[in-house]
Amino acid sequence: MSRPEIAIHDWLPELISIVNEAGVAISALFEAQQRGGNVGLSTKADRSPLTEADRRAHEIICRRLRLLTPERAIVSEEDAAQPGSEAAQAPGTAGQGVHEHPGAGDAWWLVDPLDGTREFVSGFPEFTVNIALVQAQRPVFGIVHVPMLGQCYWGVPGQGAWVEDARGRRPIHCARVPDRGPDGAFMRPLRILASRQHLTEATQAWIAAHAPHEVKRFGSSLKFCRIAEGEGDCYPRLGPTAPWDTAAAQAVVEGAGGHVLRAGGTPLRYDGTRDLNPDFLVLGDISACRRPPSI
């Protein structure tokens, strides 16, 4: 099997095309919803919302990924919502509707066709399309497209991260997280990013304990991307998330020189199951920090 980071160079134009096609479908439905149209809103078993935009993006991404890399397994958030779909079929099981756990040494795709469905339904444009390539429980590539903002981010941990928008394509880098002074306070306000829809009491307590600080709230995996391009220092997530919510954006942050860490300081990992992530903290560049934030 070829090394994923080498193949990514060849796959990148197609992957950008895939997220763009999914983004066009999502954007059309978002705009129709803004005009009062019906987007087929329903509720999944976990009480999270599901729309026709989720379903269409799922179908586009999984169909095209299977054409691009027919040998690689796909795990998508919407697998369970699409029984018998291509994404719910492991390689070699076409038509059987069976999803297999990715092999321990295999590289496999982890997909969130529409991250931020609550933002979508609420009329906020901060939803994303997320595709990650995972190997050995770590994201080795991730691409995050923000359809309504015209932005596409991608990253390869250890190699770099980039954004493409109206200004063109350029590399991005995390900002240096401020160190603490002798009194324990940060030497400049810590720029904390928080969820627009999921600000838990534990997260609020963490924020209050890290002074001085400034707080900005965003939806979806856009928070990771803002840290990757230096517009924030950290994002504490003390509450439930799913693996497809974070893997692609984690690759972008790590490619930009940042970190996505669980309690104890170990990186967030992915084993191919649908189990929820533990609490984690996204950090920018902590190379100059003697006492960086932690959870």
Side-chain angles (χ1 to χ4, degrees), residues 125-129 144-153 222 225:
E126 296 172 351
F127 45 83
T128 62
V129 178
V144 177
H145 178 45
V146 196
M148 299 306 296
L149 303 185
Q151 297 169 318
C152 188
Y153 299 84
L222 188 58
C225 296

Side-chain angles (χ1 to χ4, degrees), residues 200-220:
T200 64
E201 290 185 7
T203 302
Q204 293 181 59
W206 189 95
I207 292 171
H210 290 72
H213 62 249
E214 301 169 352
V215 179
K216 292 184 179 180
R217 298 180 68 174
F218 294 96
S220 71

Side-chain angles (χ1 to χ4, degrees), residues 216-254:
K216 292 184 179 180
R217 298 180 68 174
F218 294 96
S220 71
S221 57
L222 188 58
K223 296 178 286 294
F224 289 73
C225 296
R226 293 291 184 252
I227 289 175
E229 60 186 346
E231 294 188 11
D233 298 312
C234 65
Y235 161 41
R237 184 56 186 252
L238 309 181
T241 57
W244 44 79
D245 295 326
T246 57
Q250 179 175 348
V252 175
V253 167
E254 292 180 347

Side-chain angles (χ1 to χ4, degrees), residues 88-103:
Q89 298 164 13
T93 62
Q96 298 176 28
V98 177
H99 176 76
E100 292 183 356
H101 191 286

